[in-house]
Amino acid sequence: MTNELHPYQDRKKLKWNGFYLSEHTSQLAAEKKERRYTWPAKPTMTTEEIGQLLTEARIKDQSVALQKEEMDAEGHYPPDVIGKIQGYDELGIYIAGEKIHYDEIRSVALHKTKKWSALD
């Protein structure tokens, strides 16, 4: 008479599904909230003001927040392009791997990145 116990069978990923689901749903909710947010129109700057700020950012190696002069089908502005100036030519500048023509720029501001260690 042999009385064998059943060996333990690991459920593998099945036991972690609850964690994936809650993280995934919170990420989806955050993305939905971001899509729903409408970026306000910033005041249109003159070419000279834009040039001065871009020059200052390039010299001081600072990041800029740039609003493009474009709207989506619903009449909303896209999020600002944020980053350091990676390069430039006579037609535009390169920020965050994207070339933006000078005539597409609506507004520019120096952008201060918050440190991860800064507490609010």
Side-chain angles (χ1 to χ4, degrees), residues 13 91 118:
K13 282 178 61 174
L91 297 176

Side-chain angles (χ1 to χ4, degrees), residues 10-119:
D10 188 17
R11 297 183 296 155
K12 298 186 174 56
K13 282 178 61 174
L14 183 63
K15 63 185 172 187
W16 302 104
N17 277 347
F19 292 112
Y20 289 129
L21 183 63
S22 65
E23 289 176 1
H24 188 238
T25 54
S26 65
Q27 183 181 10
L28 287 175
E31 288 176 5
K32 184 178 179 181
K33 183 179 177 183
E34 184 177 321
R35 281 193 305 264
R36 192 176 14 169
Y37 180 77
T38 57
W39 297 89
K42 294 182 179 177
T44 304
M45 297 174 72
T46 65
T47 307
E48 292 80 21
E49 292 172 326
I50 292 170
Q52 287 175 349
L53 278 171
L54 290 177
T55 302
E56 182 181 346
R58 191 169 27 95
I59 290 171
K60 294 182 179 180
D61 195 34
Q62 290 185 331
S63 295
V64 293
L66 186 141
Q67 186 175 50
K68 293 169 71 174
E69 186 68 69
E70 67 180 31
M71 293 183 180
D72 61 9
E74 298 168 354
H76 300 116
Y77 286 96
D80 291 352
V81 179
I82 298 174
K84 291 189 177 184
I85 299 174
Q86 299 168 331
Y88 62 95
D89 60 16
E90 63 275 351
L91 297 176
I93 59 173
Y94 294 91
I95 297 178
E98 180 181 354
K99 182 173 183 180
I100 301 169
H101 292 271
Y102 293 121
D103 59 347
E104 293 179 325
I105 300 173
R106 177 182 178 85
S107 177
V108 176
L110 296 178
H111 181 74
K112 235 183 205 235
T113 307
K114 291 184 179 179
K115 292 187 178 185
W116 67 270
S117 60
L119 298 174

